Structures are given as structure tokens and as C-alpha cells.
Amino acid sequence: QVQLVESGGGLVQPGGSLRLSCAASGSIFSINAMGWYRQVLGKERELVATTTADGSTNYKDSVKGRFTISRDNAKNTVYLQMNSLKPEDTAVYYCNAHLNGMRYWGKGTLVTVSL
């Protein structure tokens, strides 16, 4: 069974950094786009950053220059390096990946940016 497992969330002060990781496991024979989304209670889930199999990236405007998405295809893992974090970045961050022609979601990891 294919699954995505996120790690790296937590509490950080404004201006701080966190690195999220998402590892895909199970019977995987193809991986295309991978990415990160986030959701605040009461609001819709929104795209944060994505990366395609050929390494192209796309970012939400408000995180450009602060967040960096990367992937290690050998480890079936995608990362999100988040720098200069702001209180408005507080959310549950979800990993998303197109695996074996299907779309999968992780269970989410909470990122809280606060003093």
C-alpha cells in the first residue's frame, strides 16, 4: 500500500526556519509531481510549492524567496525548506504526490509560527 509520511513540523519563532520532509513508501513504480499544500482551519487547502519529475518548480507568491522545494528521487522524498517564517505561515502542511498514476495525500504536519 502506498503512503506518504510527513515530518519536520513544529513550533518556531517568526524569522525562524523549518524543514519538512515527505517520504513515499510502498509499491511505487512511477512518481511524477510532488508538492506541499497547507490549510488553516476554516479555509481551503492551498498550494504552497510543487516540483515535477524533471525538476521544474512552482511556488505560491507569498512564499517565493523564502521557501524552497526539492526532491530526492532515489529516496522517493520531497522536502520543503522554509526560511524567514511568518505567523501567517501557520497551518497544517500536507504532502501531495502523483504516484503510480494516482494522487496521494499525507496526513499533514502542523507548523506554528509564534513568539
Side-chain angles (χ1 to χ4, degrees):
Q1 183 176 353
V2 174
Q3 63 176 348
L4 301 175
V5 178
E6 302 110 330
S7 61
L11 173 63
V12 63
Q13 293 186 352
S17 298
L18 281 175
R19 188 192 194 208
L20 305 182
S21 299
C22 171
S25 63
S27 299
I28 300 168
F29 54 83
S30 71
I31 301 180
N32 291 309
M34 302 183 78
W36 293 92
Y37 291 69
R38 67 187 183 189
Q39 187 170 23
V40 175
L41 189 64
K43 295 188 177 182
E44 292 187 357
R45 192 172 297 185
E46 61 180 12
L47 182 148
V48 176
T50 59
T51 177
T52 61
D54 64 1
S56 299
T57 58
N58 181 47
Y59 295 92
K60 177 180 174 61
D61 284 345
S62 64
V63 308
K64 288 180 180 178
R66 299 189 297 122
F67 292 10
T68 302
I69 189 169
S70 61
R71 61 193 286 171
D72 185 333
N73 291 327
K75 296 181 178 180
N76 294 336
T77 300
V78 62
Y79 306 96
L80 186 67
Q81 178 66 43
M82 304 185 294
N83 299 328
S84 302
L85 281 161
K86 303 176 181 180
E88 51 264 43
D89 295 318
T90 295
V92 177
Y93 284 70
Y94 295 91
C95 177
N96 175 268
H98 290 257
L99 309 171
N100 304 340
M102 297 179 64
R103 194 178 191 185
Y104 291 86
W105 291 94
K107 293 183 179 181
T109 184
L110 177 62
V111 172
T112 303
V113 185
S114 179
L115 292 173

